[in-house]
Amino acid sequence: MRYISFVLALLLFVSCKTNPQQEKKTLHELRTVIEEIFASTEGDFALAFKDLSEEGDSLFIQADESFHAASTMKTPLLLEVYKQAEAGRFRLDDSLLVKNEFKSIVDSSLYSLSPEDDTYHMLYQQLGQKQSIFDLTYQMIIASSNLATNIVIELVGAQNTTRSMRSLGAKDIQILRGVEDIKAYRQGLSNTTTAYDLILMFEALATDKILSDSSRKAIIDILLDQKFNEMIPAHLPDNVKVAHKTGWISGLHHDSGIVYLPDGRKYVLVLLSKNLTDEEAGVATLAQASRLIYDYLN
């Protein structure tokens, strides 16, 4: 039934685009169709889209609404790693000890992560050994390793990461802590973001507004290796490349990144959700919204 609704929405959207007299209304029609899809799924959704072509369109739906960042906070960390490496604080081939003991931001008490709750188990087999900063950062993104994330955030600092986001104009994103700091979570101290702030970060990355050419290329190459592709790339053609980072915890799923079209055009897209009663339906809804954006541009 959901697939049928999606097909009908696509037909409606395409019919709106085929009449030249309605051309100026297509962005409005796109908004209407996406909002209808969001309304058909129980939960709260946000979307931010910007075509990076000259005079390209943009679309924002609940883009200033605050969401638990989940693993989308790992992309700001990725940028902070490369920023500090460029500043000479460390080299990416320097090594860090793989450990599983971290301090809560509430009272500095120690806590550990469980491999059963992580998406990358292999790193737990290397406790007490050393891994390069690059390898830890890579697994933090492509496999969404929580253990790697906590090691990396100790290296670069949560406050430094938030400060770097502020320099991009992202005024609401908050990187406060590592993953699974339960004491902090119970006190409402969680990493948060908005769709608008994430799109500012990805736009800066995609348009040469931050870091060096080599660092930006390295970051994008990592994001292109993302292993979780159920949302933005799910319904896109194989020749479309997506440099992105997902995030999920109970009741919410996110995706955010840069979409590269075969003809050289690119756009940035952020999809956020929360309060999902059916997470599979929520993921499907976000994947549908991504396809509608793609069809709008094509």
Side-chain angles (χ1 to χ4, degrees), residues 77-214:
L77 280 178
L78 172 64
L79 270 63
E80 187 64 22
V81 167
Y82 276 83
K83 178 182 178 181
Q84 294 190 18
E86 282 193 359
R89 183 171 174 227
F90 48 74
R91 294 162 49 101
L92 292 173
D93 57 2
D94 288 346
S95 295
L96 296 175
L97 182 68
V98 178
K99 62 172 188 173
N100 189 11
E101 192 173 72
F102 308 98
K103 293 182 179 180
S104 170
I105 63 169
V106 173
D107 58 6
S108 295
S109 60
L110 298 178
Y111 70 96
S112 299
L113 306 184
S114 169
E116 289 75 20
D117 296 327
D118 207 333
T119 53
Y120 185 66
H121 299 162
M122 190 175 299
L123 193 58
Y124 292 85
Q125 300 170 14
Q126 298 168 3
L127 291 174
Q129 302 176 33
K130 289 189 174 182
Q131 286 280 310
S132 72
I133 294 172
F134 174 83
D135 287 342
L136 289 167
T137 303
Y138 184 75
Q139 295 302 336
M140 174 182 77
I141 297 297
I142 72 148
S144 207
S145 168
N146 290 336
L147 184 58
T149 299
N150 281 15
I151 296 170
V152 169
I153 203 170
E154 277 196 351
L155 173 70
V156 300
Q159 290 183 344
N160 292 332
T161 306
T162 298
R163 191 176 301 116
S164 292
M165 292 298 100
R166 295 290 180 272
S167 71
L168 298 178
K171 60 183 178 62
D172 294 315
I173 192 169
Q174 295 283 352
I175 310 300
L176 298 177
R177 60 171 174 83
V179 186
E180 301 295 340
D181 184 346
I182 302 302
K183 284 187 177 181
Y185 174 78
R186 288 172 178 168
Q187 293 193 20
L189 300 174
S190 294
N191 304 313
T192 57
T193 191
T194 65
Y196 185 77
D197 277 9
L198 283 176
I199 208 168
L200 285 177
M201 178 191 68
F202 277 105
E203 182 183 4
L205 179 62
T207 56
D208 305 343
K209 293 180 180 177
I210 52 173
L211 303 173
S212 66
D213 291 344
S214 60

Side-chain angles (χ1 to χ4, degrees), residues 194-249:
T194 65
Y196 185 77
D197 277 9
L198 283 176
I199 208 168
L200 285 177
M201 178 191 68
F202 277 105
E203 182 183 4
L205 179 62
T207 56
D208 305 343
K209 293 180 180 177
I210 52 173
L211 303 173
S212 66
D213 291 344
S214 60
S215 290
R216 285 193 306 273
K217 183 181 184 303
I219 289 170
I220 290 169
D221 284 345
I222 292 172
L223 293 166
L224 285 169
D225 280 350
Q226 177 60 239
K227 302 305 181 186
F228 301 102
N229 296 297
E230 298 84 4
M231 286 171 278
I232 291 178
H235 299 314
L236 303 186
D238 292 339
N239 61 353
V240 174
K241 304 302 180 184
V242 185
H244 66 122
K245 181 70 191 81
T246 57
W248 66 91
I249 58 175

Side-chain angles (χ1 to χ4, degrees), residues 42-97:
E42 190 167 346
D44 300 304
F45 297 89
L47 177 148
F49 152 70
K50 186 171 185 180
D51 177 6
L52 298 180
S53 305
E54 188 174 353
E55 298 182 358
D57 289 326
S58 59
L59 178 63
F60 301 99
I61 299 174
Q62 298 297 112
D64 291 327
E65 176 77 12
S66 182
F67 288 73
H68 190 298
S71 289
T72 64
M73 54 81 75
K74 297 171 184 177
T75 313
L77 280 178
L78 172 64
L79 270 63
E80 187 64 22
V81 167
Y82 276 83
K83 178 182 178 181
Q84 294 190 18
E86 282 193 359
R89 183 171 174 227
F90 48 74
R91 294 162 49 101
L92 292 173
D93 57 2
D94 288 346
S95 295
L96 296 175
L97 182 68

